[in-house]
Amino acid sequence: MTTAARPTKLTEAEIEQRAGDLKAWSVEAGKLHRAYRFPNFDEAFGFMSAVALEAKALDHHPEWSNVYDRVVIDLTTHDAGGLTKLDFILAARCEQLAADFGA
Ligand code: H2B
């Protein structure tokens, strides 16, 4: 297995630029933040299962919580001490998958 180079922390300007593509997300306490509501628990957990596979593939993992039909996600790159392109890649995948699961 090859070791992928870890991405570097984005500058404020780079964060603002990338955030323009993710209107439903906000930057809170330096993390990309989004709350989703699904039709029911099955859809919420299905979404989380799909995101978990993405997280595994990217080797990039969300901070998140679930209560019934709600999923709250915070994304940051712990190794870099801030936001990197990986957070924006995972956020964009979350948007696509959330739509698939009826959010
Ligand atoms: N996920 C997140 N969100 N941030 C990281 O810095 C991170 C990760 N690092 N998943 C990865 C795993 C690292 O620990 C492994 C060794 O690649």
Side-chain angles (χ1 to χ4, degrees):
M1 194 181 91
T2 56
T3 308
R6 303 305 297 180
T8 52
K9 190 174 163 177
L10 298 172
T11 64
E12 284 300 320
E14 288 168 333
I15 290 167
E16 266 184 44
Q17 192 177 17
R18 287 176 181 265
D21 297 333
L22 291 168
K23 300 282 186 214
W25 292 71
S26 57
V27 179
E28 289 185 23
K31 298 175 182 180
L32 272 185
H33 176 87
R34 169 84 148 106
Y36 291 107
R37 188 168 189 185
F38 294 88
N40 53 45
F41 176 76
D42 285 3
E43 301 297 327
F45 202 75
F47 165 75
M48 293 179 86
S49 300
V51 172
L53 295 178
E54 291 293 331
K56 183 174 167 58
L58 286 169
D59 190 28
H60 194 66
H61 303 83
E63 298 175 13
W64 57 3
S65 64
N66 160 242
V67 178
Y68 181 48
D69 59 354
R70 295 170 194 268
V71 178
V72 177
I73 303 180
D74 286 285
L75 300 177
T76 186
T77 304
H78 303 105
D79 296 338
L83 294 175
T84 67
K85 68 178 181 184
L86 282 178
D87 298 304
F88 286 89
I89 291 168
L90 188 55
R93 277 302 286 149
C94 286
E95 286 299 285
Q96 294 167 336
L97 291 167
D100 292 345
F101 285 91

